[in-house]
Amino acid sequence: MPSFQLNEVTGITGAVTYSVRQKMFSDLVSDTRRIQPGVLFLAFKGERFNGEDFAAEALRKGAAGVMVSSGCPEETLRKCNGTVLLVEDTLKAYQQLAHAWRRRFPDLPVVAITGSNGKTTTKDLTAAVLSARGPVLKTQANYNNEIGLPLTLLGIRKEHTAAVVEIGMRGFHQIEAMAPLAEPKIGIVTNVGETHMELLGSLENIARAKSELVEAIPAGGTVILNADNPYVAAMRDKAGDGVQVMTFGLDHEADVRGENIRTEGSDTKFTAVYDGERHEYSIAMVGRHNVSNALAAIAAGFALGLRAEEIREGLLHLEATKMRFECRRVGAWNVVNDAYNASPMSMTAAIETLSDLTRGRKIAVMGDMLELGSVSVEAHRKVGRELAAHHFDAVVTRGEMGRYIAEGAEEGGIASVFCCGSHEDAADRLHKLLQPGDTILFKGSRGMQMEKIIDLL
Ligand code: ATP
Ligand code: MG
């Protein structure tokens, strides 16, 4: 457990003590549901939620101490019976403590992953590859933000042989602030696409923000870049002196080059060419985009000195995260749940993959791609046209932008197109539409919760 002495906490964070009882903390916790005897509870302030309201209760539940902001009302502090620490910014203190914990394992190689699409999948693949050498810590689910990253780092234990962390971003300087907490030796950029257009305004800006990871890799480290994405390939110039650059790709010359992709059931086999040698790999995932993600993971394996056979063995232990192109049977239908999120690039990947794999009828149930700003209307129309180009038999949409997907699909010549006002309507429509053996793709932004329609079937 990430234990800290009181004097370490004050030294690292500059906290001042308001009252002192216990001087040893067995763990750091910011989630009220995870409070255990002995821990230090850090009170964060969210938009809807103020952790300070739980400080007194945390101590009653046995927490060894609480950390609150220096602006915390005296009245709240007086109710706290135990060690109370005051800092200017509790989130910053949490990050500082997580960084200090990470530094207790100086030899642990950390791989940090960013990109517009495929971060979580590449994280799972990289952790699988590296697991060939022993236990690997990885970001759980999608905890890739300024709270999730420190939470992950606090999970480092001495038995870990590597850590793989996902770093998301919603603006400039976020990766720049987060990456140093993890002190990564290896940085992977999967791709640059129109994912946070509303926040960053252009692909150039998204690329600039993602390249902050490349700049964070120190001499002796390696950056792993997608040769097939021009914005990522150009990040080579951002690598510092003494940083090795490795590339991966399917369509362009690359240090780790994928070829000969075959789908066998729910597995994908492919050849990776590295250093003049050809190696055969298999992953329990479908889709060409996932081969690209796997090549990044394989490159990380080579960068850390794993042999090709170890990488192959590691990939067999893949533990994928849910709702990423999850295929299953529901009644007489084949359901593909890719509803975790959606962006123009991931929509294309899902549509192409499904159409490559499906011989029978194909139905798309599509929700809005959120946060696209000024490119939104055109991006949704394009999804509709792509569905038509890949011969989908019917399209059901949800959400305000769904009508543009519908327009594109109709323009492209799909006859059965329906815009639905609720998930229930969409499920009703599907019941009328579906035939045994149909394959149905569910996809939309996280906020659209498209997977709930599957539950209604
Ligand atoms: P988030 O920003 O929400 O954390 P992420 O970058 O972690 O997303 P994943 O969760 O791995 O991405 O995948 C999300 C979706 O993106 C998948 O369901 C898949 O359709 C698509 N996707 C995954 N990898 C790629 C890729 N290399 N290129 C394009 N699309 C991809
Ligand atoms: Mg993710």
Side-chain angles (χ1 to χ4, degrees), residues 139-216:
T139 298
Q140 288 305 300
N142 200 41
Y143 296 148
N144 65 13
N145 66 9
E146 66 282 5
I147 298 177
L149 177 66
L151 175 74
T152 304
L153 296 174
L154 288 166
I156 300 173
R157 300 291 177 266
K158 65 177 186 311
E159 61 269 24
H160 287 131
T161 55
V164 184
V165 300
E166 172 172 344
I167 302 188
M169 66 96 190
R170 302 178 61 77
F172 290 121
H173 307 304
Q174 296 193 342
I175 297 175
E176 182 184 288
M178 277 194 274
L181 304 177
E183 297 198 9
K185 183 179 164 93
I186 298 195
I188 299 177
V189 185
T190 59
N191 51 51
V192 165
E194 292 168 327
T195 308
H196 292 305
M197 283 297 267
E198 199 166 281
L199 303 161
L200 282 148
S202 69
L203 282 168
E204 285 72 19
N205 283 347
I206 295 174
R208 241 176 69 213
K210 302 278 181 206
S211 70
E212 290 170 7
L213 179 61
V214 174
E215 289 164 350

Side-chain angles (χ1 to χ4, degrees), residues 381-452:
R381 278 211 189 95
K382 181 160 169 276
V383 168
R385 289 197 293 266
E386 283 175 353
L387 290 167
H390 286 87
H391 310 292
F392 274 67
D393 295 275
V395 177
V396 174
T397 73
R398 280 281 298 116
E400 276 172 40
M401 302 308 289
R403 66 194 163 98
Y404 298 108
I405 298 180
E407 268 180 32
E410 281 168 347
E411 251 172 58
I414 301 182
S416 299
V417 178
F418 307 93
C419 297
C420 296
S422 68
H423 279 9
E424 286 73 18
D425 286 353
D428 282 349
R429 179 48 67 188
L430 285 169
H431 277 130
K432 291 188 192 125
L433 204 66
L434 290 175
Q435 299 172 10
D438 282 356
T439 300
I440 320 148
L441 171 65
F442 291 84
K443 194 166 179 67
S445 276
R446 186 79 301 269
M448 300 303 296
Q449 306 199 344
M450 297 300 284
E451 70 282 1
K452 296 212 164 143

Side-chain angles (χ1 to χ4, degrees), residues 82-94:
T83 298
V84 178
L85 300 171
L86 305 173
V87 283
E88 205 168 299
D89 180 345
T90 47
L91 175 57
K92 179 152 183 238
Y94 184 60

Side-chain angles (χ1 to χ4, degrees), residues 135-345:
V136 175
L137 173 76
K138 67 173 182 179
T139 298
Q140 288 305 300
N142 200 41
Y143 296 148
N144 65 13
N145 66 9
E146 66 282 5
I147 298 177
L149 177 66
L151 175 74
T152 304
L153 296 174
L154 288 166
I156 300 173
R157 300 291 177 266
K158 65 177 186 311
E159 61 269 24
H160 287 131
T161 55
V164 184
V165 300
E166 172 172 344
I167 302 188
M169 66 96 190
R170 302 178 61 77
F172 290 121
H173 307 304
Q174 296 193 342
I175 297 175
E176 182 184 288
M178 277 194 274
L181 304 177
E183 297 198 9
K185 183 179 164 93
I186 298 195
I188 299 177
V189 185
T190 59
N191 51 51
V192 165
E194 292 168 327
T195 308
H196 292 305
M197 283 297 267
E198 199 166 281
L199 303 161
L200 282 148
S202 69
L203 282 168
E204 285 72 19
N205 283 347
I206 295 174
R208 241 176 69 213
K210 302 278 181 206
S211 70
E212 290 170 7
L213 179 61
V214 174
E215 289 164 350
I217 303 302
T222 304
V223 296
I224 297 177
L225 301 175
N226 186 346
D228 295 336
N229 185 295
Y231 291 100
V232 180
M235 290 180 197
R236 168 183 287 279
D237 298 340
K238 302 276 179 111
D241 289 341
V243 175
Q244 190 199 357
V245 176
M246 271 175 95
T247 55
F248 63 95
L250 290 165
D251 305 323
H252 293 81
E253 245 346 285
D255 297 313
V256 182
R257 171 81 191 256
E259 292 178 355
N260 195 20
I261 302 174
R262 293 99 63 200
T263 308
E264 292 183 12
S266 51
D267 293 347
T268 304
K269 310 215 147 116
F270 59 95
T271 306
V273 187
Y274 173 65
D275 216 6
E277 291 188 32
R278 303 175 68 81
H279 308 285
E280 287 302 310
Y281 293 106
S282 176
I283 51 172
M285 286 182 172
V286 292
R288 196 169 190 270
H289 58 288
N290 283 326
V291 176
S292 172
N293 296 334
L295 293 171
I298 291 168
F302 284 129
L304 286 172
L306 272 74
R307 285 175 287 112
E309 306 80 73
E310 290 177 294
I311 295 174
R312 180 173 316 118
E313 174 66 23
L315 281 173
L316 298 178
H317 302 292
L318 175 66
E319 286 170 24
T321 305
K322 292 207 169 300
M323 285 200 272
R324 274 68 168 187
F325 219 91
E326 235 185 283
C327 307
R328 71 168 205 261
R329 197 80 184 164
V330 174
W333 310 306
N334 305 304
V335 164
V336 178
N337 180 352
D338 202 27
Y340 173 69
N341 69 10
S343 67
M345 200 185 249

